[in-house]
Amino acid sequence: MAWNRTTREQYKREAVRYESDLTAAEWELIEPLIPRQGRLGRPRERDLREVFNAVQYQLATGCQWRALPNCFLP
């Protein structure tokens, strides 16, 4: 895909912390694919979008998991 004025506007990432973070529109596409929490087991303590963003950041940068920036939850 060639970058032009239209595609740059469509894919700009000004509202996210990192280039690898999901936009709201991207998260709306992914969220329905994630299984809901069941009745059994411990309740989730982390926002799955933040977990997904941390995994995306790690994959995009190649950094070690323990070297993630502090803005990602432990």
Side-chain angles (χ1 to χ4, degrees), residues 13 15-22 53 57 68-72:
R13 303 245 178 208
V16 294
R17 292 177 299 194
Y18 298 104
E19 290 293 318
S20 58
D21 283 359
L22 295 172
N53 282 337
Y57 179 86
L68 284 173
N70 291 333
C71 64
F72 293 114

Side-chain angles (χ1 to χ4, degrees), residues 12-64:
K12 72 179 179 181
R13 303 245 178 208
E14 293 174 356
V16 294
R17 292 177 299 194
Y18 298 104
E19 290 293 318
S20 58
D21 283 359
L22 295 172
T23 63
E26 292 168 339
W27 179 245
E28 286 178 15
L29 294 173
I30 294 172
E31 188 177 23
L33 303 174
I34 298 173
R36 299 282 176 216
Q37 175 148 357
R39 295 181 308 178
L40 302 176
R42 287 176 30 183
R44 291 179 177 153
E45 298 177 5
R46 306 286 184 241
D47 177 24
L48 293 182
R49 183 175 179 176
E50 287 299 314
V51 173
F52 199 87
N53 282 337
V55 171
Q56 289 288 103
Y57 179 86
Q58 193 273 333
L59 291 172
T61 63
C63 77
Q64 297 172 347

